[in-house]
Amino acid sequence: MEFANLDFDRKNRTGFPEVIFCQGKMDDFLVDIYQKMYERDGCVFGTRATEHQYEIVKAVLPTATYDKVSRILKAKKPDYKEQELIGNVAVLTAGTADIPVAEEAAQTIEYFGSRATRVFDVGVSGIHRLLENVDTLNEANCVVAVAGMEGALASVVGGLVKAPVIAVPTSVGYGANMGGISALLTMINSCANGISVVNIDNGYGAGYIATQINRLAVH
Amino acid sequence: MEFANLDFDRKNRTGFPEVIFCQGKMDDFLVDIYQKMYERDGCVFGTRATEHQYEIVKAVLPTATYDKVSRILKAKKPDYKEQELIGNVAVLTAGTADIPVAEEAAQTIEYFGSRATRVFDVGVSGIHRLLENVDTLNEANCVVAVAGMEGALASVVGGLVKAPVIAVPTSVGYGANMGGISALLTMINSCANGISVVNIDNGYGAGYIATQINRLAVH
Amino acid sequence: MEFANLDFDRKNRTGFPEVIFCQGKMDDFLVDIYQKMYERDGCVFGTRATEHQYEIVKAVLPTATYDKVSRILKAKKPDYKEQELIGNVAVLTAGTADIPVAEEAAQTIEYFGSRATRVFDVGVSGIHRLLENVDTLNEANCVVAVAGMEGALASVVGGLVKAPVIAVPTSVGYGANMGGISALLTMINSCANGISVVNIDNGYGAGYIATQINRLAVH
Amino acid sequence: MEFANLDFDRKNRTGFPEVIFCQGKMDDFLVDIYQKMYERDGCVFGTRATEHQYEIVKAVLPTATYDKVSRILKAKKPDYKEQELIGNVAVLTAGTADIPVAEEAAQTIEYFGSRATRVFDVGVSGIHRLLENVDTLNEANCVVAVAGMEGALASVVGGLVKAPVIAVPTSVGYGANMGGISALLTMINSCANGISVVNIDNGYGAGYIATQINRLAVH
Amino acid sequence: MEFANLDFDRKNRTGFPEVIFCQGKMDDFLVDIYQKMYERDGCVFGTRATEHQYEIVKAVLPTATYDKVSRILKAKKPDYKEQELIGNVAVLTAGTADIPVAEEAAQTIEYFGSRATRVFDVGVSGIHRLLENVDTLNEANCVVAVAGMEGALASVVGGLVKAPVIAVPTSVGYGANMGGISALLTMINSCANGISVVNIDNGYGAGYIATQINRLAVH
Amino acid sequence: MEFANLDFDRKNRTGFPEVIFCQGKMDDFLVDIYQKMYERDGCVFGTRATEHQYEIVKAVLPTATYDKVSRILKAKKPDYKEQELIGNVAVLTAGTADIPVAEEAAQTIEYFGSRATRVFDVGVSGIHRLLENVDTLNEANCVVAVAGMEGALASVVGGLVKAPVIAVPTSVGYGANMGGISALLTMINSCANGISVVNIDNGYGAGYIATQINRLAVH
Amino acid sequence: MEFANLDFDRKNRTGFPEVIFCQGKMDDFLVDIYQKMYERDGCVFGTRATEHQYEIVKAVLPTATYDKVSRILKAKKPDYKEQELIGNVAVLTAGTADIPVAEEAAQTIEYFGSRATRVFDVGVSGIHRLLENVDTLNEANCVVAVAGMEGALASVVGGLVKAPVIAVPTSVGYGANMGGISALLTMINSCANGISVVNIDNGYGAGYIATQINRLAVH
Amino acid sequence: MEFANLDFDRKNRTGFPEVIFCQGKMDDFLVDIYQKMYERDGCVFGTRATEHQYEIVKAVLPTATYDKVSRILKAKKPDYKEQELIGNVAVLTAGTADIPVAEEAAQTIEYFGSRATRVFDVGVSGIHRLLENVDTLNEANCVVAVAGMEGALASVVGGLVKAPVIAVPTSVGYGANMGGISALLTMINSCANGISVVNIDNGYGAGYIATQINRLAVH
């Protein structure tokens, strides 16, 4: 870990612990970070992990667990005490293919100590599915709307709720979706108010912001 | 008119008369076309006309009329007999700024002999406005959905009706709308079925196709 | 299938049964959907399936069949009675490499109960091949024009027929075709009338709309 | 106002009054909306107005005022009582050319009843200017970061504060800034957490979201 | 003319005289170049000239002539003897709006001493117009195909003739034509052989290459 | 071969035999075409072939040969008589990585009966290498300039020779080369005259046009 | 000047005085800055100024001078003593239309105290013009290469000199030059070494860096 | 090595030896170049090498060494004498994932005889990490700033140091980073002065220029 310049002060400055972005990390390096953070903090939370990465981390930290859908790789000491969940963030998806990104968001929210309410597969091509959930949405302090293809979900939700909407475009789709750029543009150009946007497939980022907002609402 | 190679056979081949795309036509040339077609057909229909073009055409064809909103410039002989309107095409807009494109579509539909039902300002940021009109939409043989900004209207409509939806992206918006490219991408990537797309601001083209479909439904 | 929010009302609302977009679906999830829909409807129709997906579905539904060209994976009960085909939709391709997308369109049209007439490999670089088929095209209520590379086929067809043309750009080509974006732009900017466009390689979507139009013409 | 489908229920549903996007509105139409809303609500707030629009509105509503920098056009009855401002939102700009967008945001925040703290011209090319304001930033419940050119401000701020950051790319710049697309991409790809993004030059949208968040924090 | 580094050797090296690209040249500078080249060569040929530029050049060189359509500004001494025209280049346009670019090409070809045969307004939406001219095309040593919107003309021509085709995309169109980029992509991706492409609206460049080819065929 | 609509008249119409674009062709289909054309014409020429395709063709046509560099797969009867080569086309590359595309061009030229003179690795970063070959270039009737990365070679060559230059951008490079789009744009915007451009990596297309021009010069 | 947060420490930190980017600055604001900096420093240097801005500054600072070509607006006290010029930077242009950007660079270099050697109109379509200047280029510590259209100049220069080359793409050109993006991509993808790139038309930025490098070479 | 046109004069002309860009080179060809240059120069330096390439080179040149991080493949004779390192170039990265590109830069700098000071993982989301290193940066004659994602590092560094900054965008990131295009645009549009940019992931190119500048400063 000679190169990494870990930001030990991050938690004080921002109120959030360090999280590992596993994608592309070299094996030795990843295992080393997991071990160091496990010792220091008692719990390590990594996103975009592969099954291979799970195996190499598990080899040294046998308590490690891996969720195939969200691709989150977690390791915590047996005596590590999780926070009680506060408030409420609604996490929506347009389709089932958007669920991996939504789960990354929801589990991030939970890891950071907020409650996540999942409302999946409520895309606009069958608008009644969304309308049936309006009351659920209006109970949340923040809504995370995850959608690929044309990404229209965010605009419809924005017009239905009082809470701020964090829109997450996904790379789900094909052809002119251009790897999610199309959904991103839809969300950025939304005719509805109260919508702001994060990077394509960035469930973690959306979960982070939703937590910030939920904490403000609760505290 | 020495350069123009008018397609006199078009009506027989396609079932539609020639229409003038006025934008960018040189003055002398435009007046000449209007006069020749007025003599031959008794009625001339031009799109994307300016007020200046209206004035120069009116100078030689005093019956000419101009609609500022749709920018349609029409000249017909006093004894020209319009067709009776058949069937029904619904023309929707997301916002009021999309109305000029929608009017180009609706008046094209009417010029080609079909009935147009206007349902304007029913964008998805206030979804109840659209839902209140579902019955009206379901009475149409074809729906033209006109929307700028993020263009989400088409997807929601596509999930609500049985009829085919012709989606028209508009250049309404700013910033990352990129002159309508964003709304075009939204519509092309729609998660709903039954949606096909024409060029940005192409109300005329949408009206043409809607007429083709409406005629098939009526005949 | 805990996450999937199946749209059971879809057939009543839109007149079309649910179709499975197989691409990217997880194994367990796919098998589960196929089984549930097989029980409920007696027939399941999926697009963009892989050979692997065929095998896992066949393991539980031995009547399943798979077409390598169109990549359609179908399972129907022995006593399931297919509809009689009505009307006529012409499905064209520019080249032989566009046939997989065209077959997805044609088989979708047939699955939804309309007749499809295939006219393949009639691209504009040998225009006589297309011209020899004009009578065939004019017998159809709708034309689906499938083309990659520069996608010029749609424009030429649009000028030759009375019926509406659904243009399908394909990702066939290389270099500046940008995965089909170039053909999409060609079709969207067509100088011919009566052309509307669906997403790149979206044979299914084109088949769906063509069926809507064909039904309107027949009923 | 025959075409406009005003969303009278909006305030109940979303907690915010209707705001007029003046850009591109036809004269008669704009004056009509201002008059109707003035009567109904006692106060009208419009963004992206021109000086010409100010003059025609002032002609019928003499209390109308116009701010050249933010381009906000306001009309309120003499007896209209503004809300007391609550909480605190910090509004930052990278340069002086970004101030019009920032003022649109700040005045929107104030119109919606929240307090705005302006911290202008603290771009990253002289990072000490930003660092001197860290305490001010940390007193806010939400930070709006407005920046054109390369838009790096948002990332640096994101790493310095606990509050969520709403990033607003502006079209300030030239050449490869592509009208703000470059700054938008910078902000969407930010390496810092807690950043979400709105459309280019969308000060109003940022102000709206910041108000939502600030209200959650105060209530 | 202190800055300009005129390429006096060009004619020997390339076989073509210098031509002035008038667009954006400062007044004094333009007049100076015209005068110097008029003295030296007896004839000056400039493209993309404005009416204003015509007037200032005419003030010093009264024999100057200007063609509004092609925007070519020519000045030649009364005793300047033009070459006899050799060979044959066909210059086609898809629509009438493409004629200015085609005339720039045709007049360039003539200025460089080759014969140009104009075949205008033969776009693919009325394919019979092009087919009626196949014999004319096959008499040419080179074909210049000028087309905006979707630019499909080049592909159809490429499949009909033996001669090489120089394709010129134009900026004619709107919406997703992106100032001609769409037509350029169409031509670059052409499924037909024997097509090469020059810049958008570059009639001069096409005329130059067509002349090179025509000369090779004649000599 | 039920789907393929072979263009048997092509040779009469265009003067060139059919050539097989092997990329993406299904095995059975490819073997079938090779066999049919072998019988009919005595020689088959295919581009973009893989080693696997070579093996399956060789299994049925043992005279088949494959060139790894150009990826050309050829099969000719032992008694097939090749044409004598006429004229001269220079084929240049900027770097060694561009050679596969240049060989596709050169071998196409030779297959079509013209002489190709190879001048490889003369990119502009060592301009003396190109200048040493100016005499060779000036002996050619046409120059094919193949270059990736920034593609500047075409512009420099265009200013040095009398013959027309066919520019071939390649996908050689990385990062902002965007798969060859950057080199394509360079060549399309060339400040030099006499340059026209084909698709990225389209050595075959360049060879075809160069042959057309060379034939015109010789005959 | 209440909003502007002038960076008084800049000179100490970076070694360069503040320079005014005049484009888009409001009148009062601009005059105010010029006056304040004139008083403080004795000399003010502004880029991208209009003639109107020159007039309003001259009204309060009569010594102000304006160069139409470079658009630089300078005001210095009669007793202000300019530095003696050191070292040598070569400033090249491809064409005459690139001279305004080159002059912005050259005059910036001179204002910052370095010597600039201008070598204009040496574009690659007449490569001998550049080769004749190789000795001049090799006397410079840094070369600024300014080019629009395809921007190939930078690559050729990079292969000819030992000094680092700062490449400046310009917006000169039309069609697919996309406002200079094409030249920018050319320069970024250069096959030559020793080239780095600044924003489109950014003569000032190039002059700044060239000065940094020249100072390092001299000191 | 029949095709390669090695530039033997390069060292005299530019002051730098030839370096091998290994990516995509065919095996035989690569081994041949390594052998020839090893014999001639005593040392060969190649970038973007794979482990496979290392193995085949090592088989013939057993002294070959390979660095997995930078992917540099070096072979030098036992008696080859490296130059003493001069001056100082600082090489920065925003994150740990940018280190491979930075190492390519740093080792290139060292190979060319300059000293490189590594300052890694100092991205702007934890700005204190960068600020702690300002003194180190100010000791360098040139700074190489390597950053992916949004690439904001370059702008902040540009405002902190006197030395010129060579900015290297990397392809690190996902979604809207578009393979590094986003970071490239950020750096090109930087609001800070003294920044010029090389291609995405072009550590070698940055190292080359930094060496040029460092040599000028030392000599």
Side-chain angles (χ1 to χ4, degrees), chain C residues 40-135:
Chain C
R40 192 189 65 188
D41 303 331
C43 185
V44 200
F45 185 89
T47 61
R48 310 273 174 107
T50 61
E51 300 226 21
H52 167 75
Q53 291 179 322
Y54 168 47
E55 277 154 33
I56 60 171
V57 167
K58 198 183 165 79
V60 297
L61 301 174
T63 63
T65 57
Y66 180 65
D67 174 38
K68 271 192 211 184
V69 174
S70 66
R71 297 172 52 205
I72 284 170
L73 171 51
K74 224 166 149 176
K76 64 181 174 190
K77 292 191 178 164
D79 60 347
Y80 180 82
K81 220 177 136 174
E82 307 225 21
Q83 303 166 257
E84 216 150 308
L85 303 185
I86 60 170
N88 185 14
V89 176
V91 180
L92 278 63
T93 74
T96 55
D98 302 313
I99 290 173
V101 176
E103 275 299 318
E104 187 183 284
Q107 295 180 29
T108 295
I109 289 164
E110 290 162 349
Y111 175 65
F112 288 152
S114 291
R115 189 169 294 109
T117 303
R118 289 154 175 85
V119 184
F120 290 170
D121 203 14
V122 293
V124 301
S125 70
I127 194 77
H128 59 287
R129 300 179 299 184
L130 179 63
L131 298 175
E132 288 162 13
N133 284 285
V134 168
D135 290 346

Side-chain angles (χ1 to χ4, degrees), chain B:
Chain B
M1 219 149 87
E2 52 205 353
F3 288 136
N5 200 342
L6 283 184
D7 189 355
F8 292 122
D9 182 47
R10 173 188 288 265
K11 189 147 187 185
N12 289 336
R13 213 171 62 244
T14 64
F16 288 87
E18 186 98 13
V19 160
I20 309 304
F21 182 73
C22 300
Q23 188 175 298
K25 291 261 185 311
M26 284 177 290
D27 286 4
D28 294 358
F29 191 77
L30 186 80
V31 169
D32 196 23
I33 290 183
Y34 263 81
Q35 281 182 302
K36 284 221 174 60
M37 290 183 64
Y38 183 86
E39 284 316 313
R40 194 189 63 188
D41 303 331
C43 186
V44 199
F45 185 89
T47 61
R48 308 275 173 108
T50 60
E51 299 226 21
H52 168 75
Q53 290 178 323
Y54 168 45
E55 276 155 32
I56 60 172
V57 167
K58 197 184 167 77
V60 297
L61 299 174
T63 61
T65 57
Y66 180 66
D67 174 39
K68 271 191 210 186
V69 173
S70 65
R71 296 172 54 203
I72 284 171
L73 172 52
K74 224 167 150 176
K76 64 180 173 192
K77 291 193 180 163
D79 59 346
Y80 180 83
K81 221 175 134 176
E82 307 224 21
Q83 305 166 256
E84 216 148 309
L85 303 184
I86 60 170
N88 185 15
V89 176
V91 180
L92 278 65
T93 74
T96 55
D98 302 314
I99 290 174
V101 175
E103 275 299 318
E104 188 183 284
Q107 295 180 29
T108 295
I109 289 165
E110 290 162 349
Y111 176 65
F112 288 153
S114 290
R115 189 170 293 109
T117 302
R118 289 154 175 86
V119 183
F120 290 170
D121 204 13
V122 292
V124 301
S125 70
I127 194 76
H128 60 287
R129 300 178 301 184
L130 180 63
L131 298 176
E132 287 161 14
N133 285 284
V134 168
D135 290 346
T136 304
L137 302 190
N138 271 320
E139 284 159 14
N141 292 314
C142 181
V143 178
V144 173
V146 181
M149 305 190 81
E150 96 285 45
L153 178 65
S155 293
V156 180
V157 172
L160 290 171
V161 300
K162 281 201 169 84
V165 177
I166 308 301
V168 190
T170 74
S171 53
V172 169
Y174 61 91
N177 81 326
M178 298 184 292
I181 295 288
S182 176
L184 169 60
L185 288 172
T186 303
M187 290 166 169
I188 282 286
N189 286 291
S190 179
C191 62
N193 294 313
I195 295 173
S196 61
V197 188
V198 298
N199 200 355
I200 299 161
D201 293 334
N202 189 6
Y204 169 72
Y208 188 104
I209 299 166
T211 303
Q212 288 178 311
I213 294 172
N214 188 48
R215 285 181 183 174
L216 283 168
V218 173
H219 296 312

Side-chain angles (χ1 to χ4, degrees), chain C residues 123-127 131 148-152 155-160 173-178 181-183 185-193, chain E residues 123-127 131 148-152 155-160 173-178 181-183 185-193:
Chain C
V124 301
S125 70
I127 194 77
L131 298 175
M149 305 189 82
E150 96 286 47
S155 294
V156 180
V157 171
L160 289 171
Y174 61 93
N177 81 326
M178 296 186 293
I181 295 288
S182 177
L185 288 172
T186 302
M187 290 165 170
I188 281 286
N189 286 290
S190 179
C191 62
N193 294 313
Chain E
V124 301
S125 69
I127 194 78
L131 298 175
M149 306 190 82
E150 97 285 46
S155 293
V156 180
V157 170
L160 291 171
Y174 61 92
N177 81 326
M178 297 185 294
I181 295 288
S182 177
L185 288 172
T186 303
M187 291 164 168
I188 282 287
N189 286 290
S190 180
C191 62
N193 294 314

Side-chain angles (χ1 to χ4, degrees), chain E residues 38-59:
Chain E
Y38 183 85
E39 285 316 313
R40 193 189 63 188
D41 304 330
C43 185
V44 199
F45 185 90
T47 61
R48 308 275 174 108
T50 61
E51 299 226 21
H52 168 74
Q53 290 178 323
Y54 168 45
E55 276 155 32
I56 60 173
V57 166
K58 197 183 165 79

